[in-house]
Every structure is written in C-alpha cells, then in structure tokens.
Amino acid sequence: MAKPRTPKGRSRLAAQRLAERYPGTAKELCALEHKDPFQLLAATILSAQCTDARVNMVTPQLFAAYPDAASLAAANPEDVEEIIRSTGFFRSKTKSLIGMATAVADRYGGEVPRELEELVTIPGVGRKTGNVVRSVAFGLPGLPVDTHVLRVSQRLGLLEGLTSAEQRDAVKVEHQLNTLVPAAERGAFSLRVILHGRETCVARKPRCSACPLADFCPSVR
DNA sequence: ATCCCGAGGG
DNA sequence: CCCTCTGGAT
C-alpha cells in the first residue's frame, strides 16, 4: 500500500497494522476482569489513574461481597473503601460505585443502560467509561478517548481540521475519530491505540524505531 | 519524579 | 479552564 497522506488513509492503515499486533475483539482486548455489564462498569470506574492489574486484584473480593447493583447500592461505604483502597482515589471511587449502583438499581431496574446519553447520567460515569461499557460489554459502537488516544491521534495526524484547542478536547476528538473509523471497529480500535500508546507511542520518549506505524507517521523522528 | 484506560466540582 | 481526589509501580 502507498504511503497514506490523509487522516482517513492513515487511520485505515494504522487500524490494520495495530490489529495485526493486537489481535482480538474489544471484549478480548479489555484486560479488566468482569462477567457482566455491571461488573465491567464498576471495574472501569476503579481503573481511573490505576493499572488494570491493580484493579483485577480487588474486583474478586468486591464482586464476591457485592455481585450486583442492588447489593452494592446497600453497601456500607467503609467496607467498600477498605476493599478498593489500593486502587487510589478510594473515597471518591466509593461514592461513585455506590452512587452508580443506586442509579442502576433505582432507575434502570438493576440493568446497566446501553445508550451513552443514559450512561453519562450515572454518578462516576463519563464519556470514556460509558464508551468502554458500550463497546466491551454490549458490543455497540463506542470509541473511548483517553490520554493515549488523544496523544497518538495527534501524532499520527488523524486530527487535521481540528484547531489545536480542539485536538485536546476529548469530545471533539471522539467525533473526529468516529468519522474515520467504521462503527463496528471503534471499540477495538480504541483499545489497540491505548495499548500502542502505553507500550510504544509513549508520552515522553516515543519508541519510533520499534513502531509498526513509523513508515507513515508524520511525527516520526 | 512520573505514570497508570477519569470524573466532578469550583 | 483549573483543581482535587489517592495509592502503587518504576
């Protein structure tokens, strides 16, 4: 394939190369342990500023004590804090978890809603978390935008047409990437870009010599 | 020091 | 827009 010169072309080739490096569906690429949408939602809330490995160390005990929304909604906050303490931000995360469980139990009959507009009304759930749940738990179109997706998209030149301020706006970037990535591929694309950002296109000193996208990346050096 | 799949509040 | 929340790993 010739060297692509448009955001569309670069996104297509990047998606193809990253799929070779990180095979699997969104569900398979997600490292958070869970068995249903409620548990994935809880695990994703815990994942803020915390490694997935750390989250996976606390979720077995959390879900043994509180397997569903109704039980977590009725939890004693101090008990939850003790279980999740090592994931950091434990007081605010406990409020988010119990608030989330209360909303899911009271407003949605214990079933996590599927629409992003509904997900983001739940305490502790923003666009990134909502899109993770949509794409991983439900297999619906959703493109989680985190710090890695922001950085890698900029470097790869996928955000041409956006102002420099808009390139730092996760919502604007999400909409731009939605125009580049087919709906069915968005979840896996995002997860792969995140892995690529963590392992290769790192913030400080990107490892361009080991990058599978270096031959067409506008920022390679 | 800096990073880890953020969200809510001022 | 900035600040805060928080612990663990490197």
Side-chain angles (χ1 to χ4, degrees):
Chain A
M1 185 185 290
K3 182 172 171 179
R5 302 188 181 281
T6 63
K8 183 71 131 184
R10 286 190 289 269
S11 69
R12 288 244 173 249
L13 190 50
Q16 180 187 317
R17 297 270 181 85
L18 293 178
E20 291 167 11
R21 173 162 285 204
Y22 305 111
T25 62
K27 189 184 284 285
E28 290 163 352
L29 290 163
C30 180
L32 295 172
E33 289 173 13
H34 63 281
K35 66 166 193 177
D36 59 41
F38 164 75
Q39 293 191 356
L40 176 65
L41 182 47
T44 307
I45 287 172
L46 291 176
S47 75
Q49 294 299 297
C50 176
T51 61
D52 295 340
R54 175 61 54 183
V55 173
N56 290 337
M57 290 181 205
V58 310
T59 47
Q61 191 184 351
L62 183 69
F63 297 144
Y66 315 106
D68 52 37
S71 55
L72 183 56
N76 175 356
E78 291 177 10
D79 295 339
V80 176
E81 288 182 358
E82 184 182 338
I83 295 171
I84 71 165
R85 179 160 29 85
S86 68
T87 67
F89 297 162
F90 64 90
R91 276 182 284 266
S92 53
K93 284 178 180 177
T94 292
K95 283 179 192 166
S96 293
L97 286 177
I98 295 178
M100 175 276 279
T102 301
V104 170
D106 292 353
R107 285 160 43 197
Y108 298 104
E111 298 294 315
V112 176
R114 303 162 80 91
E115 296 308 314
L116 191 62
E117 295 73 18
E118 295 181 304
L119 285 164
V120 296
T121 68
I122 295 172
V125 182
R127 277 189 94 79
K128 184 260 172 179
T129 300
N131 276 317
V132 168
V133 170
R134 270 177 67 78
S135 58
V136 174
F138 295 128
L140 294 169
L143 206 161
V145 174
D146 74 334
T147 178
H148 300 294
V149 175
L150 242 22
R151 181 181 67 254
V152 173
S153 299
Q154 286 174 209
R155 286 179 174 166
L156 260 186
L158 305 186
L159 306 182
E160 284 177 7
L162 299 188
T163 67
S164 56
E166 289 171 336
Q167 296 193 13
R168 285 178 245 113
D169 182 333
V171 177
K172 293 283 195 338
V173 171
E174 181 187 328
H175 290 324
Q176 167 78 359
L177 293 177
N178 280 342
T179 72
L180 301 175
V181 183
E185 301 170 22
R186 286 172 195 162
F189 176 84
S190 177
L191 267 341
R192 289 176 182 129
V193 169
I194 289 166
L195 290 170
H196 177 63
R198 289 206 316 227
E199 298 174 3
T200 306
C201 195
V202 296
R204 294 297 172 76
K205 197 165 179 279
R207 302 175 51 226
C208 299
S209 60
C211 178
L213 314 180
D215 60 309
F216 67 94
C217 178
S219 307
V220 68
R221 54 181 170 77

